[in-house]
Amino acid sequence: MENQFKHFFNKAIAYIRDIISLNDHIDTDKASQYIRSNIDFKGPNAYILAFAIIVASVGLNTNSIPVIIGAMLISPLMGPIFGIGYGLGTNDTAFLRKALKNLIVMVVISILASTLYFLISPLELENPTELLARTNPTIYDVLIALFGGFAGIVETSRRDKGTVISGVAIATALMPPLCTAGFGLATGSLKYFLGALYLFSINSIFIAIATFLTVKYLKFPMATFTDPAKQKRVSRWIAATVIIVIIPSVYSAFIMIKENNFNHTAKEFISKNKEMARSYIYDYSVNMRSKPPRIELFIAGEALSDAEVHGIYKSARELGLTDDQIIISQNAAMDQSGTADNAALQSIYERSDREILKRDLLIDTLKKEIDAYKTRELPYGQLAQELYAQYPALTDVTLTKGYSMRADTIGMSEQILIILETKPGNRIPAKDLERMKSWLTARLDFQNIKLIQQ
Protein backbone atom coordinates (compact mmCIF):
# COMPACT_ATOMS: atom_id res chain seq x y z
CA MET A 1 0.00 0.00 0.00
CA GLU A 2 2.79 2.35 0.92
CA ASN A 3 4.58 1.63 -2.36
CA GLN A 4 1.40 2.31 -4.34
CA PHE A 5 0.92 5.65 -2.56
CA LYS A 6 4.55 6.62 -3.22
CA HIS A 7 4.20 5.66 -6.90
CA PHE A 8 1.01 7.72 -7.22
CA PHE A 9 2.63 10.68 -5.44
CA ASN A 10 5.76 10.59 -7.67
CA LYS A 11 3.56 10.32 -10.76
CA ALA A 12 1.49 13.33 -9.66
CA ILE A 13 4.62 15.39 -9.02
CA ALA A 14 6.02 14.43 -12.43
CA TYR A 15 2.73 15.41 -14.07
CA ILE A 16 2.70 18.79 -12.32
CA ARG A 17 6.33 19.43 -13.29
CA ASP A 18 5.49 18.64 -16.90
CA ILE A 19 2.64 21.16 -16.81
CA ILE A 20 4.65 24.03 -15.30
CA SER A 21 7.93 23.34 -17.12
CA LEU A 22 8.99 26.02 -19.60
CA ASN A 23 12.10 24.32 -21.00
CA ASP A 24 10.42 22.84 -24.07
CA HIS A 25 8.61 26.07 -24.98
CA ILE A 26 11.27 28.75 -24.55
CA ASP A 27 13.78 30.15 -27.05
CA THR A 28 16.02 32.58 -25.15
CA ASP A 29 18.18 33.46 -28.16
CA LYS A 30 15.18 34.46 -30.25
CA ALA A 31 13.71 36.33 -27.29
CA SER A 32 16.98 38.25 -26.81
CA GLN A 33 16.95 39.31 -30.47
CA TYR A 34 13.31 40.40 -30.19
CA ILE A 35 13.93 42.50 -27.08
CA ARG A 36 17.06 44.11 -28.53
CA SER A 37 15.23 45.06 -31.74
CA ASN A 38 12.33 46.73 -29.92
CA ILE A 39 14.05 49.33 -27.72
CA ASP A 40 15.14 51.75 -30.45
CA PHE A 41 13.33 55.07 -30.66
CA LYS A 42 13.79 55.90 -34.30
CA GLY A 43 12.16 55.30 -37.66
CA PRO A 44 8.69 53.68 -37.37
CA ASN A 45 8.72 53.68 -33.54
CA ALA A 46 9.02 57.49 -33.43
CA TYR A 47 5.97 57.90 -35.67
CA ILE A 48 3.99 55.20 -33.87
CA LEU A 49 4.66 56.87 -30.50
CA ALA A 50 3.46 60.24 -31.83
CA PHE A 51 0.27 58.68 -33.20
CA ALA A 52 -0.36 56.79 -29.95
CA ILE A 53 0.05 60.00 -27.91
CA ILE A 54 -2.61 61.82 -29.93
CA VAL A 55 -4.97 58.83 -29.88
CA ALA A 56 -4.63 58.42 -26.09
CA SER A 57 -5.03 62.16 -25.44
CA VAL A 58 -8.19 62.32 -27.52
CA GLY A 59 -9.54 59.22 -25.78
CA LEU A 60 -8.89 60.66 -22.33
CA ASN A 61 -10.26 64.05 -23.35
CA THR A 62 -13.53 62.48 -24.52
CA ASN A 63 -13.75 59.74 -21.86
CA SER A 64 -13.72 57.14 -24.66
CA ILE A 65 -12.53 53.77 -23.35
CA PRO A 66 -12.23 52.09 -26.79
CA VAL A 67 -9.99 54.89 -28.05
CA ILE A 68 -7.80 54.63 -24.93
CA ILE A 69 -7.48 50.87 -25.43
CA GLY A 70 -6.46 51.48 -29.03
CA ALA A 71 -3.70 53.84 -27.89
CA MET A 72 -2.39 51.20 -25.47
CA LEU A 73 -2.12 48.69 -28.31
CA ILE A 74 -0.38 51.17 -30.62
CA SER A 75 2.19 52.43 -28.09
CA PRO A 76 5.81 51.15 -28.42
CA LEU A 77 6.68 52.02 -24.79
CA MET A 78 6.75 48.38 -23.68
CA GLY A 79 9.96 47.67 -25.65
CA PRO A 80 12.41 49.82 -23.63
CA ILE A 81 10.87 48.66 -20.33
CA PHE A 82 11.43 45.01 -21.23
CA GLY A 83 14.91 46.12 -22.34
CA ILE A 84 15.69 47.55 -18.89
CA GLY A 85 14.71 44.31 -17.15
CA TYR A 86 16.59 42.30 -19.73
CA GLY A 87 19.74 44.44 -19.35
CA LEU A 88 19.64 44.01 -15.56
CA GLY A 89 19.07 40.27 -15.82
CA THR A 90 21.87 39.63 -18.33
CA ASN A 91 24.33 42.10 -16.77
CA ASP A 92 24.48 44.02 -20.07
CA THR A 93 25.12 47.54 -18.77
CA ALA A 94 25.57 49.09 -22.22
CA PHE A 95 22.21 47.74 -23.38
CA LEU A 96 20.63 48.78 -20.07
CA ARG A 97 21.81 52.40 -20.51
CA LYS A 98 20.52 52.44 -24.09
CA ALA A 99 17.09 51.13 -23.07
CA LEU A 100 16.86 53.57 -20.16
CA LYS A 101 17.85 56.52 -22.37
CA ASN A 102 15.28 55.60 -25.01
CA LEU A 103 12.57 55.22 -22.38
CA ILE A 104 13.34 58.66 -20.92
CA VAL A 105 13.25 60.24 -24.38
CA MET A 106 9.91 58.54 -25.10
CA VAL A 107 8.45 59.70 -21.77
CA VAL A 108 9.54 63.32 -22.23
CA ILE A 109 8.21 63.48 -25.78
CA SER A 110 4.94 61.85 -24.73
CA ILE A 111 4.37 64.32 -21.89
CA LEU A 112 5.28 67.34 -24.04
CA ALA A 113 3.03 66.23 -26.89
CA SER A 114 0.06 65.52 -24.62
CA THR A 115 0.62 68.85 -22.83
CA LEU A 116 0.48 70.64 -26.18
CA TYR A 117 -2.69 68.76 -27.13
CA PHE A 118 -4.52 69.68 -23.92
CA LEU A 119 -3.38 73.30 -24.19
CA ILE A 120 -5.02 73.68 -27.61
CA SER A 121 -7.98 71.31 -27.10
CA PRO A 122 -11.25 73.28 -26.84
CA LEU A 123 -13.02 70.42 -25.04
CA GLU A 124 -13.33 70.71 -21.25
CA LEU A 125 -14.99 67.87 -19.33
CA GLU A 126 -16.84 68.53 -16.08
CA ASN A 127 -16.16 64.98 -14.91
CA PRO A 128 -12.98 63.61 -16.58
CA THR A 129 -13.30 60.15 -15.05
CA GLU A 130 -10.74 58.48 -17.32
CA LEU A 131 -8.18 61.17 -16.47
CA LEU A 132 -8.93 61.02 -12.76
CA ALA A 133 -8.62 57.22 -12.77
CA ARG A 134 -4.90 57.61 -13.64
CA THR A 135 -4.04 59.77 -10.62
CA ASN A 136 -4.59 57.49 -7.62
CA PRO A 137 -2.58 54.24 -8.00
CA THR A 138 -2.88 51.49 -5.40
CA ILE A 139 -1.27 48.16 -4.55
CA TYR A 140 -3.58 46.60 -7.14
CA ASP A 141 -1.77 48.53 -9.86
CA VAL A 142 1.48 47.05 -8.54
CA LEU A 143 0.05 43.54 -8.85
CA ILE A 144 -1.28 44.25 -12.36
CA ALA A 145 2.09 45.59 -13.51
CA LEU A 146 4.08 42.77 -11.88
CA PHE A 147 2.04 39.85 -13.19
CA GLY A 148 1.41 41.61 -16.48
CA GLY A 149 5.18 41.91 -16.80
CA PHE A 150 5.62 38.20 -16.06
CA ALA A 151 3.04 37.35 -18.73
CA GLY A 152 4.73 39.70 -21.21
CA ILE A 153 8.28 38.39 -20.84
CA VAL A 154 7.16 34.75 -20.84
CA GLU A 155 5.20 35.40 -24.04
CA THR A 156 8.26 37.13 -25.54
CA SER A 157 10.40 34.11 -24.67
CA ARG A 158 7.96 31.56 -26.08
CA ARG A 159 8.73 29.90 -29.41
CA ASP A 160 5.17 30.20 -30.71
CA LYS A 161 3.97 33.70 -29.85
CA GLY A 162 0.30 34.59 -29.44
CA THR A 163 -1.65 37.71 -28.47
CA VAL A 164 -0.50 37.99 -24.84
CA ILE A 165 1.61 41.13 -25.48
CA SER A 166 -1.52 42.98 -26.63
CA GLY A 167 -3.31 41.97 -23.43
CA VAL A 168 -0.35 43.08 -21.31
CA ALA A 169 -0.33 46.47 -23.10
CA ILE A 170 -4.01 46.97 -22.26
CA ALA A 171 -3.76 45.74 -18.65
CA THR A 172 -0.68 47.76 -17.66
CA ALA A 173 -1.75 50.93 -19.56
CA LEU A 174 1.55 52.78 -20.04
CA MET A 175 0.40 55.53 -22.41
CA PRO A 176 -2.68 56.97 -20.58
CA PRO A 177 -0.75 57.99 -17.42
CA LEU A 178 1.75 59.96 -19.54
CA CYS A 179 -1.09 61.75 -21.32
CA THR A 180 -2.71 62.45 -17.94
CA ALA A 181 0.59 63.93 -16.73
CA GLY A 182 0.51 66.18 -19.81
CA PHE A 183 -3.05 67.19 -18.88
CA GLY A 184 -1.78 68.08 -15.39
CA LEU A 185 0.93 70.30 -16.87
CA ALA A 186 -1.50 71.95 -19.30
CA THR A 187 -4.01 72.75 -16.55
CA GLY A 188 -1.49 73.47 -13.78
CA SER A 189 -2.80 70.56 -11.67
CA LEU A 190 -0.03 69.05 -9.54
CA LYS A 191 -2.42 66.28 -8.41
CA TYR A 192 -2.93 65.01 -11.94
CA PHE A 193 0.75 65.39 -12.89
CA LEU A 194 2.32 63.65 -9.87
CA GLY A 195 -0.41 61.00 -9.54
CA ALA A 196 -0.13 60.02 -13.21
CA LEU A 197 3.69 59.93 -13.12
CA TYR A 198 3.54 57.74 -10.02
CA LEU A 199 1.23 55.30 -11.80
CA PHE A 200 3.52 55.22 -14.84
CA SER A 201 6.53 54.63 -12.56
CA ILE A 202 4.75 51.72 -10.86
CA ASN A 203 3.87 50.13 -14.18
CA SER A 204 7.36 50.58 -15.65
CA ILE A 205 9.33 49.49 -12.59
CA PHE A 206 7.34 46.33 -11.90
CA ILE A 207 7.23 45.26 -15.54
CA ALA A 208 11.03 45.67 -15.56
CA ILE A 209 11.34 43.73 -12.27
CA ALA A 210 9.17 40.90 -13.62
CA THR A 211 11.36 40.83 -16.74
CA PHE A 212 14.54 40.79 -14.62
CA LEU A 213 13.32 37.88 -12.46
CA THR A 214 12.12 35.87 -15.47
CA VAL A 215 15.36 36.43 -17.39
CA LYS A 216 17.26 35.14 -14.34
CA TYR A 217 14.93 32.17 -13.93
CA LEU A 218 15.08 31.17 -17.60
CA LYS A 219 18.87 31.58 -17.58
CA PHE A 220 19.18 33.96 -20.52
CA PRO A 221 22.80 34.13 -21.77
CA MET A 222 24.82 36.64 -19.76
CA ALA A 223 26.53 39.46 -21.68
CA THR A 224 29.63 39.53 -19.48
CA PHE A 225 31.09 37.68 -16.51
CA THR A 226 28.94 38.46 -13.50
CA ASP A 227 30.69 40.35 -10.70
CA PRO A 228 29.17 39.09 -7.40
CA ALA A 229 29.67 42.46 -5.69
CA LYS A 230 28.02 44.29 -8.56
CA GLN A 231 25.14 41.84 -8.63
CA LYS A 232 24.66 42.36 -4.91
CA ARG A 233 24.49 46.15 -5.37
CA VAL A 234 21.95 45.74 -8.19
CA SER A 235 19.82 43.50 -5.98
CA ARG A 236 19.90 46.06 -3.17
CA TRP A 237 18.91 48.87 -5.54
CA ILE A 238 16.02 46.80 -6.88
CA ALA A 239 14.83 45.93 -3.36
CA ALA A 240 15.03 49.59 -2.26
CA THR A 241 13.13 50.74 -5.36
CA VAL A 242 10.40 48.14 -4.79
CA ILE A 243 9.93 49.23 -1.18
CA ILE A 244 9.87 52.95 -2.04
CA VAL A 245 7.31 52.44 -4.79
CA ILE A 246 5.10 49.93 -2.96
CA ILE A 247 4.62 51.81 0.36
CA PRO A 248 2.56 54.75 -1.02
CA SER A 249 0.51 52.40 -3.20
CA VAL A 250 -0.30 50.16 -0.20
CA TYR A 251 -1.46 53.19 1.78
CA SER A 252 -3.54 54.39 -1.16
CA ALA A 253 -5.13 50.95 -1.49
CA PHE A 254 -5.92 50.93 2.25
CA ILE A 255 -7.67 54.31 1.97
CA MET A 256 -9.56 53.18 -1.14
CA ILE A 257 -10.78 49.98 0.54
CA LYS A 258 -11.78 51.91 3.65
CA GLU A 259 -13.76 54.46 1.63
CA ASN A 260 -15.39 51.76 -0.50
CA ASN A 261 -16.49 49.79 2.57
CA PHE A 262 -17.88 52.89 4.27
CA ASN A 263 -19.78 53.95 1.12
CA HIS A 264 -21.24 50.44 0.87
CA THR A 265 -22.31 50.61 4.52
CA ALA A 266 -23.82 54.08 3.94
CA LYS A 267 -25.90 52.82 0.99
CA GLU A 268 -27.15 49.84 3.00
CA PHE A 269 -28.02 52.14 5.92
CA ILE A 270 -29.93 54.56 3.65
CA SER A 271 -31.77 51.68 1.96
CA LYS A 272 -33.00 50.40 5.33
CA ASN A 273 -34.16 53.81 6.54
CA LYS A 274 -35.28 55.47 3.29
CA GLU A 275 -38.94 55.78 4.26
CA MET A 276 -40.46 56.21 7.69
CA ALA A 277 -44.09 56.66 8.85
CA ARG A 278 -44.56 60.30 7.78
CA SER A 279 -41.04 61.24 6.68
CA TYR A 280 -38.39 60.09 4.23
CA ILE A 281 -34.69 60.62 3.48
CA TYR A 282 -34.65 62.63 0.25
CA ASP A 283 -30.85 62.95 0.10
CA TYR A 284 -27.67 62.14 1.99
CA SER A 285 -23.97 62.98 1.87
CA VAL A 286 -20.87 61.09 3.00
CA ASN A 287 -17.94 63.00 4.50
CA MET A 288 -14.80 60.84 4.42
CA ARG A 289 -12.54 63.71 5.54
CA SER A 290 -14.02 63.92 9.01
CA LYS A 291 -12.76 61.64 11.77
CA PRO A 292 -14.62 59.38 12.03
CA PRO A 293 -16.34 59.50 8.62
CA ARG A 294 -19.91 60.79 8.85
CA ILE A 295 -23.22 60.39 7.01
CA GLU A 296 -25.55 63.39 6.92
CA LEU A 297 -29.25 62.63 6.37
CA PHE A 298 -31.62 65.20 4.84
CA ILE A 299 -35.16 64.56 6.05
CA ALA A 300 -38.39 65.70 4.35
CA GLY A 301 -41.97 65.25 5.53
CA GLU A 302 -42.91 65.58 9.16
CA ALA A 303 -40.32 66.22 11.85
CA LEU A 304 -38.98 62.99 13.34
CA SER A 305 -40.15 61.90 16.75
CA ASP A 306 -37.67 60.91 19.46
CA ALA A 307 -38.57 57.26 18.85
CA GLU A 308 -37.83 57.58 15.12
CA VAL A 309 -34.50 59.27 15.80
CA HIS A 310 -33.63 56.51 18.25
CA GLY A 311 -34.58 53.93 15.60
CA ILE A 312 -32.21 55.54 13.08
CA TYR A 313 -29.32 55.44 15.54
CA LYS A 314 -30.13 51.82 16.43
CA SER A 315 -30.10 50.85 12.73
CA ALA A 316 -26.70 52.57 12.35
CA ARG A 317 -25.25 50.66 15.31
CA GLU A 318 -26.40 47.35 13.77
CA LEU A 319 -24.19 48.16 10.76
CA GLY A 320 -21.18 49.02 12.91
CA LEU A 321 -21.69 52.80 12.85
CA THR A 322 -21.67 55.01 15.92
CA ASP A 323 -24.21 57.69 16.85
CA ASP A 324 -21.74 60.52 16.23
CA GLN A 325 -21.30 59.30 12.63
CA ILE A 326 -24.97 60.04 11.85
CA ILE A 327 -26.05 63.66 11.39
CA ILE A 328 -29.78 64.25 10.96
CA SER A 329 -30.78 67.45 9.14
CA GLN A 330 -34.51 68.24 9.30
CA ASN A 331 -34.48 71.70 7.71
CA ALA A 332 -36.90 70.47 5.04
CA ALA A 333 -39.20 68.67 7.51
CA MET A 334 -42.55 70.08 8.71
CA ASP A 335 -43.95 69.99 12.21
CA GLN A 336 -45.92 66.83 12.98
CA SER A 337 -49.13 68.86 13.30
CA GLY A 338 -49.05 69.34 9.52
CA THR A 339 -51.30 67.12 7.37
CA ALA A 340 -49.27 67.17 4.15
CA ASP A 341 -49.05 63.92 2.34
CA ASN A 342 -45.55 62.47 1.73
CA ALA A 343 -46.08 62.14 -2.00
CA ALA A 344 -47.33 65.75 -2.24
CA LEU A 345 -44.34 66.97 -0.24
CA GLN A 346 -41.95 65.05 -2.46
CA SER A 347 -43.54 66.61 -5.53
CA ILE A 348 -43.11 70.06 -4.00
CA TYR A 349 -39.45 69.42 -3.29
CA GLU A 350 -38.83 68.06 -6.76
CA ARG A 351 -40.46 71.14 -8.25
CA SER A 352 -38.36 73.33 -5.96
CA ASP A 353 -35.25 71.53 -7.13
CA ARG A 354 -36.16 72.28 -10.73
CA GLU A 355 -36.69 75.94 -9.89
CA ILE A 356 -33.34 76.05 -8.10
CA LEU A 357 -31.67 74.48 -11.13
CA LYS A 358 -33.24 77.11 -13.42
CA ARG A 359 -32.09 79.85 -11.07
CA ASP A 360 -28.56 78.48 -10.98
CA LEU A 361 -28.47 78.35 -14.79
CA LEU A 362 -29.67 81.97 -14.94
CA ILE A 363 -27.02 83.01 -12.40
CA ASP A 364 -24.32 81.26 -14.44
CA THR A 365 -25.49 83.04 -17.60
CA LEU A 366 -25.46 86.42 -15.87
CA LYS A 367 -22.01 85.75 -14.44
CA LYS A 368 -20.70 84.98 -17.90
CA GLU A 369 -22.22 88.19 -19.26
CA ILE A 370 -20.68 90.19 -16.41
CA ASP A 371 -17.29 88.58 -17.00
CA ALA A 372 -17.55 89.38 -20.71
CA TYR A 373 -18.44 93.00 -19.87
CA LYS A 374 -15.50 93.27 -17.47
CA THR A 375 -13.09 92.07 -20.14
CA ARG A 376 -14.25 94.96 -22.37
CA GLU A 377 -14.06 97.57 -19.60
CA LEU A 378 -11.36 100.22 -20.03
CA PRO A 379 -8.52 100.42 -17.49
CA TYR A 380 -9.45 104.04 -16.78
CA GLY A 381 -7.14 104.84 -13.86
CA GLN A 382 -4.06 103.08 -15.23
CA LEU A 383 -4.54 104.61 -18.68
CA ALA A 384 -4.83 108.14 -17.27
CA GLN A 385 -1.64 107.70 -15.22
CA GLU A 386 0.26 106.49 -18.29
CA LEU A 387 -0.91 109.54 -20.29
CA TYR A 388 0.10 111.92 -17.50
CA ALA A 389 3.55 110.32 -17.37
CA GLN A 390 4.06 110.70 -21.16
CA TYR A 391 2.57 114.20 -21.48
CA PRO A 392 3.28 116.40 -18.42
CA ALA A 393 1.23 119.26 -19.94
CA LEU A 394 -2.00 117.31 -19.35
CA THR A 395 -4.17 118.46 -16.43
CA ASP A 396 -7.29 116.39 -17.00
CA VAL A 397 -8.17 113.25 -18.99
CA THR A 398 -11.75 112.10 -19.63
CA LEU A 399 -12.27 108.60 -21.03
CA THR A 400 -15.57 107.08 -22.11
CA LYS A 401 -16.74 104.23 -24.28
CA GLY A 402 -19.93 104.32 -26.29
CA TYR A 403 -21.36 104.44 -29.81
CA SER A 404 -21.16 107.01 -32.60
CA MET A 405 -24.02 107.44 -35.10
CA ARG A 406 -23.75 109.43 -38.31
CA ALA A 407 -26.77 111.13 -39.85
CA ASP A 408 -25.91 110.07 -43.40
CA THR A 409 -25.52 106.34 -42.67
CA ILE A 410 -27.65 103.63 -41.13
CA GLY A 411 -26.27 101.91 -38.02
CA MET A 412 -23.74 102.78 -35.37
CA SER A 413 -20.16 101.92 -34.46
CA GLU A 414 -18.48 101.45 -31.08
CA GLN A 415 -16.07 104.26 -30.23
CA ILE A 416 -13.70 105.35 -27.44
CA LEU A 417 -13.75 109.10 -26.78
CA ILE A 418 -10.85 110.74 -24.94
CA ILE A 419 -11.01 114.43 -23.96
CA LEU A 420 -7.69 116.08 -23.05
CA GLU A 421 -7.19 119.29 -21.10
CA THR A 422 -3.76 120.93 -20.84
CA LYS A 423 -2.16 123.80 -19.00
CA PRO A 424 -2.73 127.26 -20.59
CA GLY A 425 -0.35 127.79 -23.55
CA ASN A 426 0.76 124.11 -23.56
CA ARG A 427 -1.40 122.56 -26.24
CA ILE A 428 -0.22 119.18 -27.54
CA PRO A 429 0.96 119.42 -31.19
CA ALA A 430 -1.01 117.57 -33.87
CA LYS A 431 1.96 115.28 -34.54
CA ASP A 432 2.03 114.24 -30.88
CA LEU A 433 -1.73 113.69 -30.91
CA GLU A 434 -1.35 111.31 -33.85
CA ARG A 435 1.42 109.47 -32.00
CA MET A 436 -0.81 109.30 -28.90
CA LYS A 437 -3.68 107.91 -30.97
CA SER A 438 -1.44 105.22 -32.48
CA TRP A 439 -0.19 104.28 -29.02
CA LEU A 440 -3.74 104.10 -27.62
CA THR A 441 -4.87 101.97 -30.56
CA ALA A 442 -2.14 99.41 -29.80
CA ARG A 443 -2.54 99.74 -26.03
CA LEU A 444 -6.31 99.10 -26.04
CA ASP A 445 -6.38 96.88 -29.14
CA PHE A 446 -9.16 99.09 -30.49
CA GLN A 447 -9.27 101.02 -33.78
CA ASN A 448 -12.07 103.61 -33.44
CA ILE A 449 -10.50 106.12 -31.02
CA LYS A 450 -11.34 109.83 -31.09
CA LEU A 451 -9.15 112.46 -29.34
CA ILE A 452 -10.47 115.90 -28.47
CA GLN A 453 -8.13 118.56 -27.06
CA GLN A 454 -9.79 121.42 -25.19
Side-chain angles (χ1 to χ4, degrees):
M1 184 73 179
E2 184 178 348
N3 291 334
Q4 288 180 344
F5 176 77
K6 185 181 292 187
H7 174 72
F8 174 79
F9 179 77
N10 291 335
K11 191 173 181 180
I13 293 296
Y15 179 71
I16 293 172
R17 283 179 178 173
D18 183 60
I19 290 177
I20 64 175
S21 175
L22 293 173
N23 296 330
D24 298 332
H25 308 279
I26 296 300
D27 186 342
T28 56
D29 292 333
K30 192 174 180 181
S32 298
Q33 293 174 7
Y34 178 82
I35 293 173
R36 289 179 178 278
S37 64
N38 277 276
I39 69 162
D40 288 332
F41 181 59
K42 59 185 179 181
N45 278 350
Y47 287 96
I48 292 171
L49 178 65
F51 300 150
I53 293 166
I54 301 302
V55 171
S57 297
V58 172
L60 290 168
N61 201 194
T62 58
N63 273 345
S64 175
I65 295 176
V67 174
I68 297 170
I69 291 174
M72 298 175 194
L73 293 173
I74 296 171
S75 170
L77 281 169
M78 194 76 73
I81 297 174
F82 279 143
I84 291 171
Y86 173 83
L88 286 171
T90 59
N91 200 32
D92 192 338
T93 54
F95 182 76
L96 173 62
R97 285 194 297 268
K98 184 178 179 181
L100 186 59
K101 183 188 74 172
N102 288 342
L103 178 63
I104 292 172
V105 172
M106 285 184 174
V107 168
V108 171
I109 291 177
S110 299
I111 293 176
L112 291 177
S114 59
T115 301
L116 180 61
Y117 168 81
F118 285 110
L119 282 173
I120 64 176
S121 174
L123 180 60
E124 291 185 9
L125 295 175
E126 292 184 3
N127 187 25
T129 54
E130 290 302 320
L131 285 166
L132 194 60
R134 271 78 187 180
T135 61
N136 191 29
T138 67
I139 187 62
Y140 302 111
D141 294 289
V142 171
L143 296 177
I144 291 169
L146 183 63
F147 289 99
F150 279 129
I153 186 60
V154 170
E155 171 68 9
T156 301
S157 305
R158 195 167 67 172
R159 285 195 177 94
D160 301 320
K161 294 178 176 55
T163 59
V164 175
I165 294 296
S166 300
V168 173
I170 295 172
T172 53
L174 293 167
M175 183 60 71
L178 293 179
C179 294
T180 303
F183 173 82
L185 282 181
T187 58
S189 173
L190 197 62
K191 174 186 175 182
Y192 278 91
F193 179 73
L194 294 180
L197 277 188
Y198 180 43
L199 175 57
F200 178 79
S201 299
I202 284 177
N203 289 341
S204 301
I205 290 171
F206 282 93
I207 290 172
I209 288 173
T211 304
F212 166 77
L213 295 175
T214 306
V215 165
K216 285 291 188 185
Y217 174 74
L218 295 178
K219 295 181 173 58
F220 273 60
M222 301 296 288
T224 57
F225 180 76
T226 304
D227 180 4
K230 186 175 182 180
Q231 286 295 100
K232 199 171 184 180
R233 286 197 301 271
V234 170
S235 300
R236 287 175 180 173
W237 275 107
I238 292 174
T241 302
V242 169
I243 293 171
I244 292 171
V245 172
I246 281 182
I247 288 176
S249 65
V250 170
Y251 175 75
S252 181
F254 172 76
I255 296 299
M256 184 185 73
I257 294 170
K258 186 178 177 182
E259 290 182 358
N260 182 72
N261 291 342
F262 188 80
N263 283 324
H264 179 75
T265 302
K267 288 180 180 178
E268 186 177 355
F269 170 71
I270 296 299
S271 178
K272 285 184 176 181
N273 298 276
K274 186 73 176 177
E275 294 184 2
M276 287 154 273
R278 296 180 179 271
S279 310
Y280 65 94
I281 300 172
Y282 72 90
D283 198 8
Y284 75 98
S285 67
V286 176
N287 184 3
M288 293 299 304
R289 295 185 178 181
S290 62
K291 293 184 179 180
R294 291 185 172 88
I295 304 171
E296 184 173 3
L297 310 178
F298 299 97
I299 307 296
E302 295 184 357
L304 298 177
S305 65
D306 291 341
E308 288 174 320
V309 172
H310 178 72
I312 290 175
Y313 286 138
K314 181 180 178 183
S315 175
R317 288 193 290 271
E318 289 174 354
L319 293 172
L321 301 171
T322 59
D323 292 356
D324 61 339
Q325 288 183 278
I326 306 300
I327 301 172
I328 300 175
S329 177
Q330 301 192 67
N331 295 335
M334 297 177 60
D335 188 83
Q336 286 187 355
S337 61
T339 58
D341 180 79
N342 279 354
L345 278 174
Q346 186 169 1
S347 176
I348 291 171
Y349 285 117
E350 288 175 353
R351 187 165 62 250
S352 298
D353 289 340
R354 289 195 295 268
E355 293 299 324
I356 292 171
L357 180 60
K358 290 180 181 177
R359 184 195 63 190
D360 290 342
L361 290 173
L362 178 60
I363 291 173
D364 288 339
T365 302
L366 292 173
K367 283 182 177 179
K368 290 178 181 177
E369 291 179 358
I370 291 172
D371 291 339
Y373 175 78
K374 286 181 177 179
T375 59
R376 297 171 58 206
E377 190 175 358
L378 294 175
Y380 297 103
Q382 183 178 353
L383 200 59
Q385 293 299 324
E386 291 175 4
L387 286 171
Y388 289 142
Q390 295 182 64
Y391 302 94
L394 287 174
T395 59
D396 187 78
V397 176
T398 302
L399 299 99
T400 184
K401 192 173 187 179
Y403 293 89
S404 65
M405 292 159 283
R406 294 178 60 87
D408 57 349
T409 59
I410 298 176
M412 57 185 180
S413 60
E414 197 172 14
Q415 185 180 64
I416 295 176
L417 178 64
I418 301 177
I419 302 173
L420 308 171
E421 292 187 25
T422 60
K423 299 174 184 177
N426 288 280
R427 289 182 64 81
I428 300 174
K431 184 173 67 174
D432 289 345
L433 286 176
E434 284 299 321
R435 187 184 299 113
M436 182 189 298
K437 186 176 180 179
S438 298
W439 173 77
L440 288 166
T441 299
R443 172 71 170 79
L444 300 175
D445 193 20
F446 193 86
Q447 296 295 324
N448 195 7
I449 298 175
K450 187 173 183 178
L451 295 176
I452 298 177
Q453 182 173 198
Q454 291 187 349

